[in-house]
Amino acid sequence: MLRLCFGSGKNLHVSKISLRRNKSWTLSRKMERVYFRHGANEESVDISFRYANTEHKIDRVFNFRRNCGELVGAFTERTRTNIEKEFNKRNKKKQKTKASEAGEAAAQPTAPEITVQLTGAGNDLSEKTFQEILDTVSLRNSLELSILGQKLPVAINHPFVDNITLPTSILAGFLVYPHKVELSFASEDDCIFIWYRGLLPKSGKLAEVEFQEVGRGFTYFAKPEDVDYHLKVECIPRRDDLEGPSVECVSKNPVQAGPGECPFDLRHNFTRTALSGEQFRIGSYNLLADLYADSDFSRQELFPYCPPYALNIDYRKQLFIKELLGYNCDIICLQEVDAKIYDLDLERTFRVRDFGGDFKAKGETAEGLAIFYNKLRFRLVNRFGINYGEELKSRDIFAGIQQKIHENEELFTRIVERSTALQVVALESLDNPGEVIVVANTHLYFHPDADHIRLLQFGLAMIFLEKHVLPQIEKDLPGARKSLIFAGDFNSSPDCGIYKLMTENFVPSSFIDFQSNPDQVIENVELKQPLPMSSACGIPEFTNFTAGFRACIDYIFYQTDNLQVTQVIPFPSVQELETHIAIPSVVFPSDHIALVADLAWKK
C-alpha cells in the first residue's frame, strides 16, 4: 500500500492513506530536488524532499517544518534519525524473510552509517541558522542536501502543491475538476493539469493500475465510457518560468453513470450560440444552498420525494454547474450560494472561462449572493453591497423610512435583525462603449407573514440604487447610458407590492402588503421608483416548484426604455417538473427554476 509522509511542527509523521478520511488517494510527489518554502515575515520554513534508495527499497517523501532560528545541524540530525528508521524497518523485514526461508531466527538488522549534510558554496552549514541561510544570496543559490553521498540540489520558493483532492462523486456526462488545490508560490491559473483514467484491478492495489491520458486542462468532461474507471489528475505547479514538482491524485470512487438527459439539456438547445454585439444573455438562479438542503428536516419534511444522494451537494453541484455553463450567459445572478461552493467550485470553474465573480455574504450566514460576468464582453466599473437591516440604521438616505417605522419596536427589530442583502455590480459593455449595465441581485426574506418586510426591503434597495449607486456610476463614467437590471429570488408573487412597484412605479401606503402581520403594520410609507421596468421572462406559472409550494417568485426586471427582450428561454413543462413528483430531483438540482433571457440595447 502506498504511504505518504506528512510534516507537522518539528515532528515527522508517516501515515498510511485512509480512504475513509480522504476524498481521494494522493500519490507520491515527483521530486528531484529539496524544496524550501518560506514566505515573507514567516517564522518557519517548510522543507520537502523525496529520498529513494533502490538497494534497500526505500522511497519516501519527507516533510519538515523548522523554526527559522534553529541551527541547520538540528535539522540534519532529525533527518538522519528518520532515514535511519526507514533503513531499519526495511532491513528488519528483509532479515525476517530470509530467516523464515531458512528456518532460522532472524538476525538483528544493521543499517549503514547514515550521513546527512546541508552545504552551501561547498561549506558545511550545520552551525548556521535557517534565517542566516535565507538572508544570504550566495548560500541560497548553492544549497545541497547530501544523504549517504547522494546530493540533492535545494530550490527555494519554487512553485509547490501543498494539497490536491478530487471530489467523491464523479458522474459521466458532467464536469470534474480538483475539489481543492492548495499552492505555495504558484497560482491555479498557471498550473498544468493532466487527466488520466484507469481500472482498479481485483487486487485493489493502486500501484498496479495502468493509467492512460484522457485530457488536459483544469476541468475534464467525464464520458460514458469512463464509467467504472478511476480518474487521476496530475498537477504541475508553475510560476513564470519556474516549474515545481508534480503531484498526482486519484479519485476515491470510480466514475458513476449520470442521470441521463436532464430537462436543462433541452433548454440548452436555445442557448448553444453565445451572443455578441448589441445582445447579451442574463440568467438568475436560486441554487438551493447546501446549508438548507443538508438536514433531516429537508430530507424528511421539505423534500422527502428527492433521494438523499440527489440532495447531496457533491451530486447537485455537478448538475447546476453544467446547467449554468450550458446557458452561455454573459451575466449570471445567483442566490443561496454556499460560501464554500463559491470559493471551491463556482469561482474557479467560471474564472478559467474568463468570467469575473463577486460574492456578497448575508451577514454571518454561510450562504449569500453571487454575480458572474463575461470579462471578454464587460468591464467592471464598480461594485456595491449592503445588508438591509444594518444599513437602515446608518445611512441618511434611509432616514425617512426609519423615522416612520422605528416606533413599532417589534417591526423595527424584525427588520434590522434580518441578514438579507443586496448586491450590485456596474458593467460597461466592451462591444458598446458608453453602455453600462447596473446589475442588482437580491434574495428577500422568505417568511409567509412577511410581505411587509419584503416590500420594505425592496423599497430600501430601490432607494439605494437611485440615491447612491446611480450617482456614483455617473461620477465613475460621466455621460454613460445606465440601464438597470434587477434579478433575484423576491419570494413575492406577481400580485404583491414588489411587482407593482417595479412595473407601475408606485405602491401607496394603503397597499395590503404593509398589513401582512397585524402586530407589525407599516403605516404612512409609500414607495416610488422612477425607472420604467418590466419582467424579462414575463410571469411564468412557476419559478419554484416543490410538493408543498408552487409559485412565481423569481424575476429578472429590466429597464424598458434602454433595453428590449429578444428571447426568453422556455421553461420546463409541468410534466417534466412532476416526473419525480417535484423538484429538486435526480435531474433538477434546485427547488427553483433558472430564468434566462436575451436582451439587447435600444438605439
Side-chain angles (χ1 to χ4, degrees):
M1 177 178 287
L2 288 172
R3 301 171 74 186
L4 286 180
C5 306
F6 298 95
S8 175
K10 293 187 177 180
N11 298 316
L12 183 78
H13 299 284
V14 182
S15 59
K16 294 183 179 180
I17 294 172
S18 169
L19 296 185
R20 290 172 299 192
R21 292 180 296 183
N22 293 294
K23 289 179 178 289
S24 46
W25 287 316
T26 304
L27 306 185
S28 300
R29 299 175 183 272
K30 297 180 179 179
M31 289 187 183
E32 297 179 352
R33 302 185 181 194
V34 179
Y35 291 90
F36 281 25
R37 302 183 303 287
H38 176 256
N41 302 319
E42 290 185 356
E43 296 181 354
S44 61
V45 56
D46 290 327
I47 303 171
S48 301
F49 64 90
R50 182 175 185 173
Y51 177 68
N53 187 303
T54 306
E55 180 183 353
H56 292 269
K57 296 182 180 180
I58 294 175
D59 190 352
R60 289 289 182 268
V61 173
F62 293 86
N63 294 289
F64 294 89
R65 174 166 291 176
R66 314 302 289 186
N67 190 284
C68 289
E70 179 183 281
L71 290 177
V72 167
F75 158 69
T76 55
E77 175 58 24
R78 179 60 65 88
T79 303
R80 187 198 67 76
T81 300
N82 281 283
I83 292 177
E84 186 176 62
K85 289 179 180 178
E86 291 299 316
F87 271 94
N88 287 335
K89 288 178 185 178
R90 288 294 177 182
N91 287 339
K92 187 176 182 180
K93 184 177 181 180
K94 186 177 180 181
Q95 292 290 346
K96 280 186 176 181
T97 302
K98 287 183 177 180
S100 176
E101 292 174 351
E104 302 172 353
Q108 184 67 26
T110 57
E113 184 179 353
I114 309 297
T115 58
V116 179
Q117 186 182 46
L118 183 67
T119 62
N123 300 314
D124 181 19
L125 302 177
S126 297
E127 297 303 316
K128 289 189 176 294
T129 66
F130 281 104
Q131 193 62 60
E132 289 175 309
I133 293 173
L134 294 169
D135 291 341
T136 307
V137 175
S138 61
L139 293 179
R140 286 170 58 100
N141 296 333
S142 61
L143 295 175
E144 283 186 331
L145 182 68
S146 176
I147 304 174
L148 281 173
Q150 179 181 345
K151 294 183 177 180
L152 298 172
V154 175
I156 297 179
N157 291 350
H158 275 220
F160 198 85
V161 181
D162 297 305
N163 185 29
I164 182 170
T165 62
L166 285 173
T168 54
S169 171
I170 303 175
L171 301 176
F174 295 84
L175 284 178
V176 60
Y177 45 88
H179 171 74
K180 183 183 294 184
V181 181
E182 297 174 356
L183 302 166
S184 294
F185 308 102
S187 71
E188 207 169 75
D189 292 341
D190 295 329
C191 293
I192 296 173
F193 295 90
I194 307 173
W195 294 86
Y196 307 83
R197 73 170 190 174
L199 284 172
L200 195 67
K202 293 182 179 179
S203 66
K205 294 181 179 180
L206 189 63
E208 297 177 3
V209 176
E210 294 183 3
F211 283 102
Q212 296 178 327
E213 182 176 334
V214 291
R216 294 194 170 214
F218 178 72
T219 61
Y220 171 69
F221 185 79
K223 305 174 183 64
E225 53 266 33
D226 295 329
V227 171
D228 294 331
Y229 281 78
H230 283 267
L231 295 184
K232 178 177 77 172
V233 63
E234 178 182 6
C235 177
I236 305 173
R238 293 176 59 87
R239 184 183 77 251
D240 300 326
D241 294 331
L242 290 178
E243 189 172 287
S246 68
V247 175
E248 297 174 331
C249 175
V250 178
S251 61
K252 173 183 174 180
N253 298 317
V255 177
Q256 299 171 308
E261 187 175 66
C262 298
F264 60 73
D265 290 314
L266 300 177
R267 302 184 78 193
H268 289 168
N269 290 327
F270 297 88
T271 60
R272 296 195 183 281
T273 302
L275 300 182
S276 61
E278 296 179 357
Q279 294 191 81
F280 61 93
R281 183 170 295 136
I282 183 166
S284 181
Y285 199 1
N286 180 321
L287 298 181
L288 176 56
D290 187 44
L291 178 67
Y292 308 128
D294 184 23
S295 69
D296 290 339
F297 180 73
S298 296
R299 287 183 284 268
Q300 298 170 10
E301 301 295 333
L302 293 180
F303 315 119
Y305 48 85
C306 183
Y309 77 85
L311 271 180
N312 188 291
I313 191 61
D314 285 341
Y315 179 93
R316 292 195 298 115
K317 70 183 181 182
Q318 294 179 78
L319 271 65
F320 63 62
I321 285 177
K322 181 181 180 181
E323 179 177 5
L324 288 168
L325 293 175
Y327 289 135
N328 277 311
C329 288
D330 298 297
I331 302 170
I332 304 171
C333 297
L334 302 175
Q335 306 85 42
E336 286 196 28
V337 180
D338 295 282
K340 63 181 180 180
I341 295 299
Y342 179 85
D343 290 334
L344 296 178
D345 299 279
L346 292 168
E347 192 277 333
R348 298 160 75 217
T349 301
F350 279 100
R351 187 184 69 234
V352 298
R353 290 165 173 78
D354 293 310
F355 273 71
D358 183 69
F359 181 79
K360 172 61 180 172
K362 293 168 59 177
E364 300 298 320
T365 309
E367 58 94 359
L369 307 165
I371 296 177
F372 290 96
Y373 59 93
N374 186 344
K375 293 196 294 185
L376 300 180
R377 301 207 62 204
F378 291 96
R379 177 182 72 86
L380 179 66
V381 177
N382 210 330
R383 67 183 76 198
F384 311 84
I386 62 170
N387 290 85
Y388 299 114
E390 296 174 5
E391 302 286 342
L392 175 61
K393 298 181 294 183
S394 59
R395 286 190 181 267
D396 292 340
I397 56 176
F398 300 146
I401 288 182
Q402 181 187 359
Q403 291 172 3
K404 294 180 179 179
I405 65 173
H406 80 279
E407 291 184 2
N408 187 325
E409 184 175 348
E410 182 179 331
L411 167 64
F412 189 74
T413 299
R414 190 177 186 189
I415 292 174
V416 299
E417 288 183 350
R418 303 279 71 77
S419 61
T420 316
L422 170 69
Q423 177 187 35
V424 185
V425 298
L427 306 171
E428 182 181 25
S429 170
L430 298 180
D431 298 323
N432 304 272
E435 294 283 6
V436 174
I437 299 294
V438 179
V439 184
N441 182 28
T442 197
H443 181 194
L444 299 181
Y445 185 44
F446 73 95
H447 202 279
D449 78 340
D451 285 338
H452 62 311
I453 303 292
R454 286 186 286 274
L455 181 53
L456 197 63
Q457 288 176 337
F458 192 71
L460 295 173
M462 293 307 295
I463 292 172
F464 182 71
L465 288 165
E466 180 185 357
K467 303 295 185 182
H468 180 76
V469 172
L470 294 177
Q472 181 58 51
I473 297 172
E474 179 60 28
K475 293 179 182 178
D476 296 334
L477 281 179
R481 184 165 74 157
K482 298 171 286 295
S483 304
L484 175 65
I485 294 177
F486 203 147
D489 175 359
F490 299 90
N491 273 312
S492 298
S493 57
D495 59 344
C496 291
I498 290 172
Y499 193 87
K500 181 178 180 66
L501 179 61
M502 288 304 272
T503 59
E504 299 179 24
N505 304 94
F506 177 70
V507 173
S509 60
S510 60
F511 196 73
I512 191 172
D513 285 13
F514 288 131
Q515 305 165 40
S516 59
N517 185 310
D519 297 322
Q520 301 170 8
V521 174
I522 297 176
E523 298 178 330
N524 302 318
V525 173
E526 61 180 28
L527 298 175
K528 301 178 181 179
Q529 67 87 9
L531 303 175
M533 305 289 292
S534 186
S535 172
C537 297
I539 303 177
E541 188 175 3
F542 314 108
T543 63
N544 182 254
F545 196 92
T546 68
F549 179 81
R550 303 174 180 187
C552 173
I553 57 175
D554 304 80
Y555 308 93
I556 300 175
F557 294 110
Y558 72 102
Q559 191 170 329
T560 58
D561 56 342
N562 294 341
L563 300 169
Q564 60 186 355
V565 177
T566 59
Q567 179 186 217
V568 176
I569 309 309
F571 283 73
S573 66
V574 174
Q575 181 180 1
E576 289 172 316
L577 294 167
E578 290 182 336
T579 299
H580 301 279
I581 300 179
I583 62 175
S585 69
V586 294
V587 293
F588 281 96
S590 174
D591 57 336
H592 286 252
I593 302 166
L595 283 66
V596 185
D598 296 350
L599 302 176
W601 281 279
K602 289 182 177 179
K603 295 300 182 181

